Amino acid sequence: MSTLATRNTASPASALLQKILRGMAAAALFSICAGILALAMTRGSAANRDFVSYWAASQRLVHHSDPYSSAAVFSLEKSAGWSADRALLMRNPPYGLFLTIPLGFVSEKTGAVLWSLLVLASLMLSIRILRGIQGDPQNRLHLIGYLFAPSLACLLAGQTSAFALLSLTLF
């Protein structure tokens, strides 16, 4: 029994080292994902997702124009490689525009990579917080959250739902 008790209790230095190594591994994995996204993201794949509506609205907003102007947004989306025959307007209310403002300062490909990483980080943080709320169980059931169909759809489409999940989780 005493050997079992000594195995489960790690020294504080060992626990700290383990946390640092996990953090470094997570940062390395996140960097690898960023590199893969940057290489794999083509002009067409960046433009034919919901992301393009956020990018076009932010471009208009940064240049002091109406982010909800259908004709102007459609023109921007077409220049980015949008393949549909009508504009995809951002459906978020004006107070949601603050999320997209940084996209107005970058190209559509750079914005798509940054946006995808931000959506992924929001999802990861939400799952981590939810796991902590549940008492940080030793099982690996939290990994199902990454394979949950709506999570994958949100990542693939570049939607803002991950930010809503994070805000609800933080609340």
Side-chain angles (χ1 to χ4, degrees), residues 8 16 24 26 28-29 40 42 49 53 72-73 77 88 115 117-118 145 154:
N8 289 338
L16 178 64
M24 289 174 57
L29 184 61
T42 63
R49 299 173 36 199
S53 67
V73 166
E77 289 172 349
L88 177 63
W115 187 261
L117 289 174
L118 192 58
C154 180

Side-chain angles (χ1 to χ4, degrees), residues 90-140:
M90 184 173 143
R91 294 180 189 96
N92 298 356
Y95 57 79
L97 286 171
F98 79 94
L99 283 173
T100 66
I101 288 175
L103 298 175
F105 298 104
V106 295
S107 69
E108 70 274 357
K109 182 179 176 180
T110 304
V113 170
L114 293 175
W115 187 261
S116 297
L117 289 174
L118 192 58
V119 169
L120 180 63
S122 296
L123 179 65
M124 291 171 66
L125 184 58
S126 298
I127 291 172
R128 179 72 183 138
I129 291 170
L130 288 171
R131 185 173 183 221
I133 289 171
Q134 297 300 316
D136 209 14
Q138 295 302 314
N139 58 30
R140 301 280 182 214

Side-chain angles (χ1 to χ4, degrees), residues 11 39 49 67 83-84 111 113 121 129 135 171:
S11 68
L39 292 174
R49 299 173 36 199
S83 60
V113 170
I129 291 170
F171 178 71

Side-chain angles (χ1 to χ4, degrees), residues 47-105:
N48 289 301
R49 299 173 36 199
D50 288 357
F51 156 79
V52 76
S53 67
Y54 308 134
W55 176 80
S58 66
Q59 289 288 318
R60 299 277 301 154
L61 189 64
V62 165
H63 294 98
H64 307 290
S65 301
D66 179 15
Y68 297 106
S69 169
S70 183
V73 166
F74 183 61
S75 172
L76 275 172
E77 289 172 349
K78 276 296 195 190
S79 72
W82 178 246
S83 60
D85 58 350
R86 61 186 184 121
L88 177 63
L89 290 177
M90 184 173 143
R91 294 180 189 96
N92 298 356
Y95 57 79
L97 286 171
F98 79 94
L99 283 173
T100 66
I101 288 175
L103 298 175
F105 298 104

